[in-house]
Amino acid sequence: MERECETETGRVSRQRSGRRAEEPDSERSPAFWRAQEMLLLQQVMALAGRKTDPGPALQEMLHLLSELLGLNRGRIVLLDAAGRHGEIRYAYGLTREEVSRGRYGLHEGITGRVLATGQLMVCQNIDRDPLFLGRMVARSRLPEGPVSFIAQPIRVAERTLGVLACHRIRRRPRPLADDLQMLKLLAAYAGQLLQLHAQMQARTESLRQQNRLLSRALASSASRYGIVGSSPRLLQAVTELEQVSDSTASVLLLGESGTGKELFARALHLASPRREAPFIKVNCAAIPETLFESELFGYEKGAFTGAQSLRQGSFEQADGGTLFLDEIGELPLAMQTKLLRTLQEGSITRLGGKSELAIDVRLVAATNRHLEEEVARGAFRQDLYYRLNVIPIRLPSLAERSGDIPALALHHLNRINQANQRNVHLTGGALERLQAYPWPGNIRELGNVIERMVLLTDRAALEAEDVERFLPGEQEMAAGAPGGGAAGGPLPGEGGGPFPGATATVADVRPYVPATSHSPEALCHALRRSGGNKTRAAQLLGLTPRQFSYRWNKLGLAD
Ligand SMILES: Nc1ncnc2c1ncn2[C@@H]1O[C@H](COP(=O)(O)OP(=O)(O)OP(=O)(O)O)[C@@H](O)[C@H]1O
């Protein structure tokens, strides 16, 4: 029976330190105990890192505590994830049945108290202490004399993970303080091992999840165009794109800013028989009104002062391919007339030129405005609208396809990690937080937030709290979303009001705004809020895109 052979150091310890075996326990010197302690530490440390599972090292630690120092029936009790119960996870010298009884609520018995308070407790005599439950091991299994019970908290970063506890024969020459010191040291070591293991598990789980999401995204047909996502609404838009890719009919891409209209325009080009020919993009919001004509149709040498050589316009450059007119709602009325004529006749005339040139261009236009409303107030030609709107494809906002947020977030994370030689991860909690956010700036905003997080963090894995710090506060959101609709108003084709922030641009009479009306900070802030989209930033400030660009360039702000 165990009680017969239980001494201050166990039987096996005497075999290990055989040279001292002839000495009775009571005469053992401090040097003997130092040697035992060193041996214990050496052996426990040697086990660290051999396996990813901390179990074997902790198990051996409890074994050596008993063998070398005589602290018997050691156990490690760990709190569950909710922090409400602890149960024995590792033990030495306890039967399976005893272990199964080792479950403690907070404040229950000595162990429960240590779990709740994170403070060491020493029960000098288990037979006299009313707090000692005696639930696990029958008294008859313990040594006859007074037995103590020590419960040392296992804490990491001010948090209690569990308890390292053991029995101790009370009357022995080795000072209690030495045993407490050793237990404190070993509890700290166990805490580090457990914490490291938990971090590794969380990281492995987040990698597994990323892998699953990326595999799923890759498997979707959209991925071949670099379009990430598998939500029904997105796949619907991709299907429509594929259905019309072979035709030459104009396509109008509708959707909020940052929903991927340009990406879709490129995908349409790649899916079409024109893929080997050029894809030319013109951002109508970025061209000064006076330069539109030469930009789109080109000019002959000598057409105007400064026209020192012939220049092809975007239509000519895109001949045989696709011309993408982004922000088509910004096209001045005079240019709308010229564009319509070009589309009807299939030819252009360069500025200063006399002959017409036949061109074969597939037109894809995009807007985040309600073009019908622009038509209704006379800002957009109806005939051009019909001509462009032959095939409308509506891109869902990110809020409408929040199920795609984790895959998109990881897609951007990979891209940004690679570009910056970083290896930052997003935990499941971080992905959930990203998914809960409404993303008024859609995928562009998501990409920007992830880029900021990756570049500014010094942590390997970002948690939900880290994400929180990079998301705009409620006030900021409300300020940027007139009508309170941060996630975006109804889309073109759905009826309802205009896009958030669009009210300023649809005002019939725009008040005069001096060129110095906005500070660099205000411009930068609006650009950040709009996820980097200048048109939307202009809308937020009540400026036209041209007014915004003018101020931006004038202040010498970098793109
Ligand atoms: N489905 C998607 N998968 C992966 N990346 C996407 C997706 N949609 C958009 N993006 C990315 O989001 C960013 C914004 O997309 P894009 O410029 O195509 O939006 P947009 O609707 O044209 O915006 P705007 O109206 O402001 O010009 C780009 O970096 C783009 O690559």
Side-chain angles (χ1 to χ4, degrees):
M1 240 169 77
E2 191 182 348
R3 59 188 291 175
E4 285 164 13
C5 60
E6 183 157 317
T7 61
E8 287 174 0
T9 58
R11 249 182 327 201
V12 197
S13 78
R14 273 179 241 132
Q15 285 159 11
R16 283 193 190 219
S17 48
R19 61 198 159 78
R20 313 288 311 262
E22 67 284 357
E23 286 178 29
D25 289 346
S26 55
E27 285 170 26
R28 284 188 168 146
S29 65
F32 168 83
W33 289 116
R34 284 293 90 80
Q36 296 290 89
E37 287 173 353
M38 285 305 126
L39 185 60
L40 189 157
L41 289 177
Q42 226 174 39
Q43 300 211 0
V44 168
M45 301 293 163
L47 283 169
R50 284 232 191 121
K51 293 216 165 77
T52 46
D53 175 9
L58 296 178
Q59 198 68 48
E60 184 60 5
M61 182 176 103
L62 298 173
H63 173 202
L64 294 171
L65 256 182
S66 168
E67 274 195 15
L68 299 177
L69 298 184
L71 295 172
N72 290 317
R73 286 169 293 279
R75 82 260 353 225
I76 288 177
V77 175
L78 294 182
L79 270 174
D80 60 10
R84 279 202 214 103
H85 282 97
E87 66 181 35
I88 296 187
R89 296 286 291 279
Y90 308 101
Y92 180 73
L94 296 175
T95 64
R96 220 176 253 174
E97 209 193 322
E98 286 165 343
V99 168
S100 71
R101 287 197 289 266
R103 196 176 146 75
Y104 308 88
L106 293 182
H107 296 285
E108 197 182 359
I110 306 241
T111 303
R113 263 161 212 257
V114 177
L115 285 173
T117 61
Q119 304 279 327
L120 165 78
M121 283 188 78
V122 180
C123 162
Q124 294 284 6
N125 187 340
I126 59 169
D127 299 321
R128 301 234 171 115
D129 192 330
L131 278 182
F132 190 76
L133 294 174
R135 173 205 289 170
M136 251 175 55
V137 188
R139 184 63 182 93
S140 56
R141 281 240 305 133
L142 297 174
E144 264 161 14
V147 175
S148 314
F149 180 74
I150 307 173
Q152 166 73 43
I154 299 175
R155 283 169 66 80
V156 175
E158 318 274 297
R159 207 162 56 90
T160 305
L161 305 184
V163 172
L164 165 63
C166 59
H167 287 127
R168 175 183 192 269
I169 300 173
R170 192 159 156 217
R171 286 201 193 96
R172 64 189 209 145
R174 177 174 154 82
L176 172 66
D178 286 1
D179 282 344
L180 293 181
Q181 191 59 33
M182 265 322 270
L183 286 169
K184 191 171 170 188
L185 223 135
L186 293 175
Y189 168 77
Q192 291 304 323
L193 275 191
L194 290 163
Q195 170 88 344
L196 224 100
H197 180 61
Q199 281 170 351
M200 260 171 51
Q201 267 190 323
R203 192 151 169 169
T204 311
E205 183 44 41
S206 107
L207 284 173
R208 252 193 225 122
Q209 191 182 2
Q210 291 186 18
N211 206 356
R212 268 196 308 271
L213 283 164
L214 289 176
S215 312
R216 210 182 309 147
L218 270 177
S220 94
S221 68
S223 69
R224 85 181 91 120
Y225 310 117
I227 299 171
V228 176
S230 55
S231 67
R233 281 181 181 232
L234 179 82
L235 294 183
Q236 165 73 23
V238 174
T239 307
E240 287 169 13
L241 176 147
E242 286 181 322
Q243 278 167 351
V244 300
S245 59
D246 282 352
S247 98
T248 53
S250 300
V251 172
L252 183 59
L253 296 170
L254 302 163
E256 290 175 18
S257 183
T259 46
K261 296 186 290 298
E262 180 172 344
L263 193 64
F264 264 68
R266 288 182 189 279
L268 186 59
H269 175 68
L270 291 176
S272 77
R274 297 168 174 262
R275 70 183 70 85
E276 302 297 335
F279 172 91
I280 302 292
K281 174 193 164 178
V282 175
N283 185 349
C284 300
I287 303 174
E289 199 158 341
T290 49
L291 296 185
F292 254 114
E293 191 163 0
S294 59
E295 185 69 31
L296 288 183
F297 304 114
Y299 50 80
E300 298 285 348
K301 183 177 175 184
F304 49 84
T305 325
Q308 284 164 354
S309 57
L310 177 151
R311 185 183 182 278
Q312 288 190 333
S314 314
F315 267 103
E316 261 185 274
Q317 291 169 27
D319 197 19
T322 305
L323 178 63
F324 174 46
L325 295 184
D326 200 4
E327 319 264 11
I328 189 86
E330 301 295 323
L331 201 65
L333 271 171
M335 284 313 297
Q336 293 178 21
T337 311
K338 291 200 170 147
L339 176 62
L340 181 65
R341 196 177 318 128
T342 303
L343 294 179
Q344 282 166 344
E345 293 169 7
S347 63
I348 55 138
T349 307
R350 293 190 196 122
L351 251 173
K354 293 199 176 52
S355 53
E356 290 196 343
L357 299 170
I359 42 121
D360 165 27
V361 163
R362 201 246 180 110
L363 192 77
V364 179
T367 184
N368 57 9
R369 295 226 199 161
H370 289 276
L371 279 189
E372 292 111 318
E373 286 179 10
E374 303 291 302
V375 169
R377 71 180 187 90
F380 205 86
R381 287 186 65 124
Q382 188 169 41
D383 39 12
L384 178 60
Y385 172 61
Y386 288 141
R387 181 93 206 184
L388 295 175
N389 199 29
V390 180
I391 301 164
I393 298 182
R394 193 177 85 73
L395 303 192
S397 69
L398 198 45
E400 289 173 282
R401 57 180 187 114
S402 59
D404 284 341
I405 291 176
L408 278 163
L410 295 173
H411 164 77
H412 283 296
L413 182 71
N414 278 351
R415 183 176 61 75
I416 295 157
N417 268 336
Q418 274 182 21
N420 298 285
Q421 279 116 46
R422 301 291 305 267
N423 190 21
V424 177
H425 291 265
L426 289 170
T427 60
L431 287 173
E432 274 170 30
R433 182 63 194 97
L434 288 171
Q435 200 167 1
Y437 180 72
W439 300 108
N442 293 294
I443 302 152
R444 182 181 290 109
E445 187 187 9
L446 174 67
N448 289 350
V449 165
I450 291 184
E451 179 158 28
R452 242 177 295 144
M453 292 198 302
V454 169
L455 297 183
L456 296 180
T457 190
D458 49 6
R459 308 175 58 153
L462 293 167
E463 312 273 349
E465 307 81 77
D466 303 313
V467 172
E468 197 64 53
R469 285 190 290 119
F470 286 89
L471 295 177
E474 269 171 34
Q475 274 184 349
E476 227 180 325
M477 294 259 301
L491 288 157
E494 278 188 338
F499 287 105
T503 40
T505 54
V506 296
D508 280 332
V509 182
R510 189 185 300 284
Y512 170 73
V513 189
T516 50
S517 58
H518 294 84
S519 65
E521 291 75 30
L523 297 181
C524 290
H525 181 68
L527 195 64
R528 261 202 317 276
R529 284 225 40 261
S530 62
N533 182 292
K534 284 190 181 165
T535 306
R536 192 168 152 74
Q539 287 171 353
L540 292 176
L541 296 174
L543 298 171
T544 64
R546 249 172 250 113
Q547 284 175 328
F548 183 90
S549 294
Y550 178 74
R551 284 161 178 71
W552 185 264
N553 295 334
K554 195 154 186 250
L555 290 167
L557 297 172
D559 273 314

